């Protein structure tokens, strides 16, 4: 289906700013002719997106994978720093946090509860199940009904929730019937343990099959201005009112880097901010979830919600896959 384990690990770079990026040490910064005061940063500037017609969240969320240890394994080196990042995200009006039981494993969910419980009104936590973690940087499929049930129960306990707002099948299991996995999530929803069901790392066929069983409120796939393999899925989601959550928002390759850097310099912004701005403009159902373990990078990510690209800049970035393919 075009999503390999190696590509999945690229999510380690999930919205992280380059280490040499820095925030201007001044009160404000100009983005697209608009001054954004650091004290007024807010994810609400990205607008809102509906999840299943039941929940509305700001269109710039936070991915909590990077808060764990190396190899997405074990606790973070700086636990207090990780907790501070989560609390700062909420202060910046981020009201959608994406995690998974496999991040750590379990560590990311535990950190979220430690930092934010009791949760502020309107905060939506989306988690996932469908992987086993035998060790650092090791992921093995398990979307059997029994595993998913245990995963949901474990996430409820770690997140200190009675019901999970958004629960995502992390990835289809090649040896488990896809319908069996989705039917299990539908049953858990009927039992009141899940509010809404979502998918991750899926094809259009998977989405259509799942929707025959239960409404799907979001799809999370790898996607960026320079990695448009799932364009047709984004278009389908937009037509169907399904939120699309892109991971790995920075495109790789020289052509992508050249175009990104040029536009970033024009706006006095970072390449990641421009990449996020492109995603937000790509579709009203787009919900980026850039992750980071740094408050400085978090603030840069949120500032991207105020960056407005010109039509020419948007189109130039949109042509990057074609330009790369012609070389």
């Amino acid at each position: 289906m075009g999503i390999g384990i190696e590509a999945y690990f690229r999510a380690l770079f999930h919205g992280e700013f380059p280490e040499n990026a820095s925030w201007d040490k001044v009160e404000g910064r100009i983005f697209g002719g608009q001054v954004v005061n650091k004290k007024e940063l807010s994810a609400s500037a990205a607008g809102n997106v509906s999840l299943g017609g039941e929940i509305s969240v700001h269109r710039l969320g936070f991915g909590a994978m990077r808060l764990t240890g190396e190899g997405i394994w074990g606790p973070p080196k700086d636990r207090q720093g990780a907790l501070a990042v989560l609390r700062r995200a909420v202060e910046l009006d981020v009201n959608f946090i994406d995690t998974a039981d496999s991040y750590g494993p379990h560590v990311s969910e535990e950190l979220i509860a430690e930092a934010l419980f009791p949760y502020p009104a309107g905060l939506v936590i989306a988690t996932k199940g469908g992987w086993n973690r035998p060790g650092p940087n090791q992921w093995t499929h398990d979307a059997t009904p029994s595993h998913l049930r245990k995963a949901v129960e474990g996430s409820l306990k770690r997140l200190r929730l009675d019901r999970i707002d958004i629960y995502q099948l992390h990835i289809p299991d090649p040896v488990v019937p896809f319908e069996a996995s989705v039917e299990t999530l539908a049953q858990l929803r009927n039992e009141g343990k899940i509010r809404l069901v979502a998918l991750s790392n899926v094809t259009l066929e998977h989405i259509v099959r799942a929707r025959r069983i239960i409404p799907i409120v979001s799809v999370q796939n790898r996607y960026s201005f320079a990695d448009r393999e799932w364009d047709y899925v984004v278009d389908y989601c937009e037509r169907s009112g399904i939120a699309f959550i892109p991971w790995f928002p920075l495109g790789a390759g020289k052509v992508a880097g050249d175009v990104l850097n040029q536009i970033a310099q024009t706006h006095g912004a970072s390449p990641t901010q421009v990449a996020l701005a492109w995603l937000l403009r790509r579709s009203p159902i787009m919900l980026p979830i850039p992750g980071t373990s740094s408050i400085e990078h978090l603030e840069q990510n949120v500032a991207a919600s105020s960056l407005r690209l010109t039509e020419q800049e948007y189109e130039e970035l949109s042509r990057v896959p074609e330009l790369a393919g012609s070389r």
Side-chain angles (χ1 to χ4, degrees):
M1 63 189 233
I3 303 173
I5 298 298
E6 181 179 353
Y8 185 83
F9 289 151
R10 292 168 67 197
L12 298 179
F13 304 105
H14 196 120
E16 185 79 4
F17 276 77
E19 291 302 322
N20 60 356
S22 63
W23 174 269
D24 287 350
K25 305 301 182 182
V26 294
E27 282 300 301
R29 194 168 181 188
I30 296 177
F31 292 104
Q34 178 181 359
V35 175
V36 178
N37 191 301
K38 197 174 180 185
K39 296 179 181 178
E40 298 174 353
L41 289 173
S42 173
S44 64
N48 296 328
V49 64
S50 173
L51 296 166
E54 295 189 28
I55 301 173
S56 178
V57 297
H58 301 322
R59 284 204 308 139
L60 192 74
F62 178 78
M65 181 178 68
R66 294 193 64 88
L67 297 180
T68 63
E70 291 186 13
I72 318 305
W73 186 263
K77 292 181 180 179
D78 181 3
R79 188 178 190 87
Q80 291 306 311
L83 297 174
V85 167
L86 286 163
R87 291 170 181 143
R88 181 59 176 150
V90 172
E91 288 175 357
L92 296 174
D93 299 321
V94 171
N95 60 1
F96 181 86
I97 296 177
D98 178 83
T99 185
D101 67 342
S102 57
Y103 298 165
H106 307 160
V107 173
S108 176
E109 292 180 329
E110 291 167 350
L111 288 170
I112 290 169
E114 182 178 347
L116 302 175
F117 188 86
Y119 300 114
L123 179 65
V124 174
I125 299 172
T127 192
K128 318 178 195 73
W131 285 112
N132 279 318
R133 296 299 310 283
N137 285 327
Q138 297 178 48
W139 310 72
T140 57
H141 291 280
D142 192 347
T144 58
S146 60
H147 174 82
L148 289 174
R149 280 193 164 274
K150 291 178 183 177
V152 168
E153 294 290 354
S155 291
L156 284 167
K157 183 177 180 180
R158 286 184 292 274
L159 290 169
R160 307 179 200 176
L161 292 170
D162 296 323
R163 181 180 65 173
I164 297 168
D165 278 330
I166 310 291
Y167 196 85
Q168 305 160 88
L169 177 65
H170 209 151
I171 191 168
D173 189 328
V175 299
V176 174
F178 179 69
E179 280 75 10
S181 299
V182 177
E183 285 169 359
T184 300
L185 298 185
Q187 291 167 6
L188 288 163
R189 185 190 180 193
N190 291 338
E191 294 168 16
K193 296 175 181 179
I194 295 171
R195 182 174 180 182
L196 299 169
V197 175
L199 301 173
S200 179
N201 298 309
V202 289
T203 64
L204 178 56
E205 179 190 5
H206 286 125
I207 303 170
V208 172
R209 287 163 61 187
R211 294 182 75 196
R212 294 181 186 137
I213 299 170
I214 192 168
I216 299 300
V217 303
S218 68
V219 170
Q220 183 172 161
N221 278 8
R222 188 191 71 246
Y223 188 77
S224 75
F225 77 96
D227 182 357
R228 308 277 292 283
E229 177 182 359
W230 301 110
D231 250 344
Y232 68 101
V233 172
V234 176
D235 293 338
Y236 174 85
C237 287
E238 184 170 335
R239 292 194 302 270
S240 305
I242 298 172
F244 186 89
I245 304 172
W247 58 264
F248 193 52
L250 271 181
K254 186 176 186 304
V255 174
D258 288 346
V259 176
L260 201 60
N261 288 331
Q262 179 182 358
I263 295 174
Q265 290 173 8
T266 299
H267 287 272
S270 76
T272 297
Q273 288 173 319
V274 172
L276 290 171
W278 184 91
L279 285 169
L280 290 169
R281 180 160 178 174
R282 167 64 176 85
S283 172
I285 50 87
M286 196 71 69
L287 173 55
I289 50 166
T292 179
S293 57
S294 158
I295 287 180
E296 182 179 25
H297 293 163
L298 170 66
E299 291 175 347
Q300 290 173 328
N301 288 341
V302 173
S305 63
S306 299
L307 174 57
R308 301 293 182 259
L309 301 175
T310 66
E311 182 66 25
Q312 181 178 348
E313 290 167 339
Y314 174 79
E315 293 298 335
E316 188 175 0
L317 286 166
S318 301
R319 288 196 300 270
V320 163
E322 299 173 9
L323 295 172
S326 66
R327 291 196 172 188

